[in-house]
Amino acid sequence: MKVAAAQFATTNDVAANLIKCVSIVAEAAKKQPDLIVLPEFCNHNSWYDNAEHCYQVSVDLEGEFLAAIAQAAQQAGAYVVINCTVRRPDNKVTGTSLLYSPTGELLAQADKQVLIGHENDFLQRATQPGPIVDTPFGKLALYACMDGVINETPRCLALRGAQLLCNSLNSFAIDEGNLHIPVRAAENKVFVIAANKVGPLIPEVMLEPVSAAINIPVQFLSGAGDSQIVAPDGTVLAIAGHSEEIIYADIDLSQATDKNRPDGTDVFADRRIDLYQPLVQDPVTQKLPSFTGADSVIAAAASVTGSGALAIASAVAAVESLQADKARLICLPELCAVSTDMSVGEAAETSAALVKELQKVLLADTYIATTIIDTEQGARHLAVLISQQGILYQQGQVHRSQRHSGLTQANSFKVCHTAHGKVAVLCEDDAIYPESFRLLALQGVEIVLVPLALQELWLVSTGLVERAAENRINLIAADRHCANNLICSLQQDFTLMTQWQTRQFDGLLSAPDIVRQPDSALLIATIHPRAAANKVCSHRTDLLANRPWQFMQPVVSPSHPEGTRT
């Protein structure tokens, strides 16, 4: 199928916005796409004087505005996705994505599940999950903007069988385009079409006073653009710039049925639904975690090459060098001293030798993360934290993987209390699952170290950065290839519309500071464990407490396709 994402500006003039939307659909139709996705809040900018004004400028499902969109879809001979504020009973309003068929029929509506900022003051959250829609091309689903800044809504749609996710945005955040949009495709192995706004997101006459009131520079009060079409492996097939534009791509939705990693692991079938129950519980009933992290600590990632004694010597030298530069949390690659041709017994002996040699050079407040093979309680792949005393903490691999198929899986996620804060270490085969990090975040983890033997590039380009962002967790990852080493340090100033002390707003909604150094085996940066205590992205928008837990039954259920309409 050929798909299109339309990027444009809207105003506070509902009639003018309708004319714009109809003309955009007609323009996109010239290249005969099968599906056209429009941005969020197409009827009116998301700026209201009061609740009555919001209701007044919203649209009726059977009203003139959406009737014209239905007609435009029919004339284009294409499916059309549009998002508007929609009037509901009792003077309530929802932010709703709507799917029209090539015959002009309204096939689906999906209300926004996660509201951000002042949307909480005017819009009603979804009361049910959006549908999965069967089409001749495959299964489609809809979500909007903030729904995709955290993982739950797109995750559940994909688990229910959606092969193509249509995301309508109204966002000034530059991390939408380089992070939140593409990661939802790669982590679920589905296609994503995202259409964002350009131009002012509030009335132009109010740009200066609003900028002063909410501490956001004027240039960041406009839509960020970066609309895009993303393949299931995270490849961006088409991307818009920062002005009005329509982008296109030819896609085959059958590609989204393959959920296998390069080693053959099925990332949907091998989920640990038995462990995910806390994710479907009301946050109000869950005990809030405490946070004990230091204000700052120097962290590092080190690439180690070779195996056996050579790799051990390399690891020891790297640790000594990094400690001299005051690094106190150091991540080494997965099984950094083990080669693939070693037997399980040889791998366990080599792992024990690595731990013993690292112990000898560690300072009292230094901790090293890697993974080892252990055979004391059956053959296990363990993520470990090593101190002067030896193995301080071990986290067994939780999710089954083909490359470690003969090893025993662990049945819980653990946290380690250190001098620098609450720490966890994850095997790569657990880090690919968003649920792993959510469970750690609910335990108050402030720092996660991930030893890698990287299989898929998306994990370091967007995946781990997203885990740090959507959970507000500092993250250090190390691979044998230094280009894949990564440190995510949380911004100390975070909540929008509050007074910031250490930086001015730079267009990032939730992304951390990202540190990479592709040409160096040693990567070092300061992280801020204590900053993990603040999960509030904006007014009434907590990244954990406001997740759409009510609709997350698919996360704790075996995945199976479903559909609603053909």
Side-chain angles (χ1 to χ4, degrees):
M1 65 186 300
K2 183 184 288 293
V3 297
Q7 177 173 287
F8 56 93
T10 61
T11 68
N12 281 21
D13 185 329
V14 177
N17 291 336
L18 175 57
I19 293 171
K20 183 69 172 180
C21 290
V22 170
S23 68
I24 287 286
V25 171
E27 181 64 27
K30 291 179 181 179
K31 293 192 177 181
Q32 299 182 305
D34 300 293
L35 171 68
I36 304 167
V37 180
L38 307 185
E40 186 182 27
F41 302 138
C42 281
N43 57 306
H44 188 276
N45 278 339
S46 183
W47 189 264
Y48 315 106
D49 299 334
N50 49 44
E52 182 181 356
H53 178 223
C54 178
Y55 188 84
Q56 178 187 358
V57 299
S58 297
V59 300
D60 293 309
L61 287 178
E62 305 298 330
E64 176 184 347
F65 191 103
L66 292 178
I69 298 300
Q71 184 178 19
Q74 186 173 16
Q75 291 174 346
Y79 292 89
V80 172
V81 174
I82 186 172
N83 181 285
C84 297
T85 52
V86 175
R87 294 171 183 164
R88 302 297 188 181
D90 301 321
N91 293 322
K92 296 187 182 301
V93 176
T94 56
T96 304
S97 293
L98 305 138
L99 174 66
Y100 288 91
S101 76
T103 63
E105 180 185 4
L106 177 59
L107 292 181
Q109 47 183 309
D111 296 340
K112 195 172 187 179
Q113 297 181 10
V114 184
L115 303 178
I116 182 170
H118 78 103
E119 293 173 9
N120 289 282
D121 300 328
F122 297 106
L123 305 182
Q124 180 181 1
R125 292 177 187 271
T127 57
Q128 59 185 4
I132 308 299
V133 183
D134 285 320
T135 75
F137 307 101
K139 295 177 182 293
L140 276 60
L142 319 173
Y143 68 99
C145 206
M146 189 64 197
D147 284 344
V149 174
I150 56 178
N151 74 82
E152 283 83 357
T153 300
R155 183 68 161 176
C156 289
L157 293 171
L159 289 172
R160 290 166 56 202
Q163 298 162 291
L164 171 59
L165 304 180
C166 302
N167 180 10
S168 298
L169 298 104
N170 177 78
S171 179
F172 56 71
I174 60 176
D175 47 344
E176 291 279 13
N178 59 32
L179 181 59
H180 305 305
I181 292 171
V183 74
R184 302 308 169 209
E187 71 188 2
N188 295 302
K189 298 191 180 298
V190 297
F191 287 94
V192 168
I193 306 175
N196 197 10
K197 293 267 191 73
V198 291
L201 300 180
I202 64 175
E204 289 194 58
V205 295
M206 302 191 69
L207 287 172
E208 292 289 349
V210 168
S211 172
I214 65 175
N215 302 302
I216 295 178
V218 168
Q219 66 265 33
F220 295 118
L221 294 177
S222 290
D226 289 335
S227 300
Q228 56 197 270
I229 301 165
V230 190
D233 64 356
T235 300
V236 177
L237 303 176
I239 186 167
H242 305 292
S243 57
E244 184 173 301
E245 188 175 354
I246 303 172
I247 57 172
Y248 303 85
D250 294 305
I251 64 174
D252 177 0
L253 293 192
S254 67
Q255 294 176 13
T257 61
D258 182 2
K259 305 300 182 183
N260 288 330
R261 299 191 82 200
D263 71 345
T265 302
D266 186 320
V267 295
F268 274 20
D270 288 317
R271 293 176 303 119
R272 291 295 303 273
I273 60 176
D274 55 320
L275 303 182
Y276 299 160
Q277 196 62 40
L279 303 179
V280 300
Q281 296 172 358
D282 186 346
V284 172
T285 67
Q286 294 175 322
K287 182 180 179 181
L288 294 175
S290 60
F291 292 90
T292 59
D295 180 64
S296 64
V297 62
I298 297 176
S303 294
V304 176
T305 57
S307 62
L310 180 64
I312 292 172
S314 176
V316 168
V319 167
E320 289 181 317
S321 174
L322 289 167
Q323 283 189 135
D325 289 330
K326 303 188 184 306
R328 294 298 179 260
L329 286 167
I330 302 170
C331 190
L332 302 177
E334 176 183 301
L335 298 175
C336 66
V338 174
S339 63
T340 56
D341 60 354
M342 288 182 180
S343 67
V344 170
E346 290 172 326
E349 289 179 5
T350 302
S351 296
L354 171 70
V355 173
K356 182 177 180 180
E357 292 305 311
L358 287 174
Q359 272 184 263
K360 295 177 181 178
V361 299
L362 290 184
L363 300 176
D365 57 349
T366 301
Y367 305 89
I368 307 296
T370 186
T371 72
I372 64 171
I373 297 297
D374 178 79
T375 55
E376 288 188 6
Q377 300 177 31
R380 297 179 297 163
H381 183 209
L382 302 179
V384 295
L385 201 63
I386 304 165
S387 72
Q388 266 187 351
Q389 286 71 46
I391 296 177
L392 177 68
Y393 155 101
Q394 60 185 39
Q395 170 67 65
Q397 183 173 316
V398 169
H399 297 86
R400 195 196 74 87
S401 65
Q402 283 295 103
R403 63 198 181 108
H404 297 306
S405 59
L407 305 181
T408 302
Q409 270 66 65
N411 293 311
S412 64
F413 289 99
K414 300 177 180 179
V415 179
C416 182
H417 294 259
T418 75
H420 310 300
K422 289 185 181 178
V423 174
V425 188
L426 284 181
C427 300
E428 179 185 321
D429 292 324
D430 292 326
I432 62 173
Y433 295 90
E435 293 84 2
S436 301
F437 282 84
R438 273 295 198 236
L439 291 169
L440 291 173
L442 290 174
Q443 296 183 64
V445 165
E446 295 151 322
I447 309 154
V448 176
L449 298 99
V450 186
L452 298 171
L454 194 69
Q455 288 196 63
E456 299 173 283
L457 186 60
W458 74 267
L459 187 61
V460 291
S461 63
T462 59
L464 294 177
V465 181
E466 180 65 23
R467 302 295 165 254
E470 69 188 358
N471 296 288
R472 286 284 290 171
I473 290 175
N474 297 276
L475 186 143
I476 308 108
D479 185 58
R480 287 177 180 264
H481 300 285
C482 57
N484 299 326
N485 291 349
L486 170 71
I487 296 176
C488 297
S489 176
L490 293 183
Q491 308 275 13
Q492 291 176 286
D493 289 310
F494 176 59
T495 306
L496 294 178
M497 296 184 285
T498 60
Q499 192 67 46
W500 289 3
Q501 303 297 322
T502 62
R503 67 184 180 110
Q504 189 178 48
F505 182 75
D506 53 9
L508 298 178
L509 178 61
S510 62
D513 280 330
I514 303 166
V515 183
R516 307 179 194 266
Q517 197 170 346
D519 299 325
S520 174
L522 303 182
L523 179 66
I524 191 166
T526 299
I527 62 172
H528 303 286
R530 190 176 301 167
N534 181 11
K535 311 293 187 187
V536 180
C537 174
S538 186
H539 170 62
R540 294 174 61 187
T541 312
D542 187 298
L543 296 175
L544 263 63
N546 296 127
R547 68 187 192 277
W549 61 273
Q550 305 96 321
F551 309 129
M552 290 181 61
Q553 197 60 34
V555 169
V556 293
S557 306
S559 58
H560 56 84
E562 62 180 75
T564 56
R565 297 290 301 273
T566 300

